[in-house]
Amino acid sequence: MKGLFMESSRVQAAARKALMAANPLYHAWSPEQQELFRATMNDAASDRVEAVLLNELQEPAGTAENAGEEWLDLPNGKLAYNWANLLTTGIGEDMIWLNETMAENVSLLDFETVYDYDLDDYHFQNKESSRENADYQKRDYYALRFSLWARLLIDEKLHYATITSLATHITDELEDQGADMIHRLIPHDYVEGENHGRKAEGGFVWDMRLDAKGLEPQLDELNERWREYLQQRWVELSQSFQGQTPAAFMMNTCEDEDLLALFVFNNAAALESVRWRSFLSDCRQQKREFSEVEHHVSEAWRQAENWLYEAHRDILQNFDPTVTKLRKQRKVTMAPGAFDRLLQRDDDDYKDVLNHTGFYEVQ
């Protein structure tokens, strides 16, 4: 990691060369024109950028077919490429780039603040949900129901960032801790169903069955109640933070050679105060200690833990497993190779992924 950052000049040089390959006039433009080009680059220009970056950064220099892809499998190779690529796509003071799908002819420059982007996404989500489900009930708007993933420079170094709300961060933490607790309350595992791996049009059938030693209906009921609890808690927490003084909480960590940054905002007013083009400096203007977030998580988990114990007790005593709830059966077809990396993981990682996908039983 240290050695790579000492090579920052090499990464920057590769990015400059790539941008020139994308458009020979790039370095003659004004900063505003350059930023617009980076944010709205078409596929042909992106392909030229990628080719130059792979050629300039891989070590040793590409001498064989697919050398670039093999180099990207190395931790430092991927980091160098992503870092240089950010310099060719990012905007603003921090070269921030949002890892989210945008509508055609729309870029991050079309949204001045984080709030503008989040509100637009809220309307899109409601529109799509209403189109797919005639009975859909529109939700009130609260900050960042769904976390965003971004890349940006902090102290001239590439960071992978999560941008989220306080309510979403808390409920995400509750979901993780709750999954562990539910596994302790009703031990369970996943086994392959009779159709798992069977060839289907376009791929293969994903058929993993839940095995809870006869307590499958009770486990399913507990999971369903837990999901409803988390949804309700998110609304309650969002409402409780809505009138607070706008605040941003930031935490930096390092994991597997990658620098990570977490940005947590307490409400919509905090999002309105943060512009994409001055993201980090605007966050610092309303920064508060991250220990406040940890306190909120601890308090919320204390309540959730008590709720789970009570829900578990009630289900074991009063739930009738012979009453089957009507639920739409799902058949999931996966493309060939889609889970190759997943299936190579050890058993604990494999079970953890399944626990968080919701694939309790697919037929």
Side-chain angles (χ1 to χ4, degrees):
M1 176 68 74
K2 182 178 179 181
L4 181 61
F5 287 138
M6 290 175 65
E7 289 193 298
S8 63
S9 59
R10 182 166 174 250
V11 170
Q12 293 170 9
R16 287 195 297 269
K17 189 171 182 177
L19 287 166
M20 184 177 295
N23 192 305
L25 298 177
Y26 176 83
H27 294 294
W29 293 337
S30 67
E32 293 75 18
Q33 288 176 297
Q34 291 178 344
E35 182 179 61
L36 179 61
F37 178 76
R38 294 195 304 271
T40 61
M41 194 182 304
N42 60 32
D43 291 341
S46 294
D47 290 343
R48 291 194 291 272
V49 165
E50 180 178 14
V52 171
L53 294 183
L54 289 175
N55 185 65
E56 292 294 310
L57 294 173
Q58 62 179 302
E59 289 190 17
T63 56
E65 188 176 357
N66 298 325
E69 284 136 6
E70 294 171 3
W71 170 76
L72 277 177
D73 287 336
L74 302 174
N76 279 0
K78 185 171 293 184
L79 178 58
Y81 173 81
N82 288 341
W83 186 3
N85 192 57
L86 179 64
L87 298 178
T88 69
T89 56
I91 68 166
E93 299 170 354
D94 316 303
M95 298 299 289
I96 194 167
W97 177 81
L98 198 60
N99 188 21
E100 303 290 336
T101 301
M102 303 265 186
E104 188 175 0
N105 298 320
V106 174
S107 76
L108 195 56
L109 291 175
D110 292 299
F111 307 99
E112 181 180 3
T113 67
V114 179
Y115 171 80
D116 294 332
Y117 177 89
D118 189 46
L119 184 63
D120 182 81
D121 184 64
Y122 160 78
H123 289 307
F124 171 79
Q125 296 291 345
N126 272 314
K127 181 180 178 181
E128 288 299 299
S129 297
S130 298
R131 184 177 61 83
E132 295 174 2
N133 181 4
D135 298 326
Y136 176 75
Q137 298 294 316
K138 183 178 178 181
R139 297 180 177 182
D140 292 334
Y141 170 76
Y142 297 107
L144 287 169
R145 176 66 183 89
F146 302 103
S147 299
L148 305 175
W149 287 269
R151 296 173 186 174
L152 78 163
L153 296 181
I154 301 177
D155 297 328
E156 299 303 317
K157 299 178 181 65
L158 168 67
H159 284 66
Y160 300 98
T162 300
I163 302 170
T164 191
S165 69
L166 184 53
T168 297
H169 178 75
I170 292 171
T171 50
D172 284 349
E173 291 291 308
L174 295 185
E175 184 177 12
D176 287 342
Q177 295 182 61
D180 292 338
M181 182 173 173
I182 289 172
H183 197 279
R184 294 194 301 271
L185 293 172
I186 305 179
H188 56 277
D189 205 342
Y190 294 87
V191 297
E192 293 184 4
E194 59 183 12
N195 294 319
H196 185 69
R198 181 172 55 82
K199 290 184 178 180
E201 183 178 356
F204 64 92
V205 174
W206 175 261
D207 181 17
M208 296 299 295
R209 308 288 176 126
L210 184 65
D211 179 9
K213 309 303 181 186
L215 293 177
E216 291 82 7
Q218 288 86 346
L219 177 58
D220 192 49
E221 176 68 14
L222 182 57
N223 277 318
E224 183 65 22
R225 292 189 190 184
W226 178 234
R227 282 190 287 269
E228 293 175 357
Y229 174 86
L230 290 175
Q231 291 172 5
Q232 182 59 34
R233 284 298 286 142
W234 183 84
V235 173
E236 294 169 353
L237 289 166
S238 296
Q239 291 173 339
S240 69
F241 300 140
Q242 194 172 22
Q244 292 183 354
T245 301
F249 308 92
M250 294 175 275
M251 181 174 69
N252 294 342
T253 56
C254 182
E255 181 179 307
D256 296 330
E257 299 295 313
D258 292 331
L259 296 178
L260 310 179
L262 175 61
F263 297 90
V264 180
F265 301 95
N266 64 341
N267 54 34
L271 301 186
E272 290 183 86
S273 302
V274 177
R275 296 160 294 180
W276 289 114
R277 298 185 71 253
S278 52
F279 182 84
L280 195 55
S281 60
D282 288 348
C283 287
R284 286 169 172 163
Q285 289 295 318
Q286 50 186 346
K287 180 181 178 181
R288 295 232 296 263
E289 292 299 320
F290 201 83
S291 58
E292 292 186 40
V293 175
E294 295 168 339
H295 172 76
H296 282 298
V297 171
S298 296
E299 178 61 23
W301 173 243
R302 183 185 63 78
Q303 298 176 38
E305 186 178 32
N306 292 335
W307 184 93
L308 273 171
Y309 275 126
E310 177 58 28
H312 175 251
R313 183 198 62 77
D314 177 65
I315 289 170
L316 292 186
Q317 292 182 1
N318 303 312
F319 176 68
D320 185 355
T322 64
V323 178
T324 303
K325 294 183 179 181
L326 294 177
R327 288 176 183 160
K328 185 178 180 180
Q329 290 185 332
R330 298 174 296 166
K331 179 180 179 181
V332 178
T333 301
M334 297 296 179
F339 279 86
D340 286 352
R341 292 187 67 185
L342 172 61
L343 296 176
Q344 292 172 2
R345 297 180 176 210
D346 61 42
D347 290 342
D348 289 339
D349 285 343
Y350 182 58
K351 294 170 187 174
D352 184 63
V353 171
L354 287 173
N355 276 329
H356 289 83
T357 56
F359 288 128
Y360 301 115
E361 181 173 350
V362 180
Q363 298 180 350

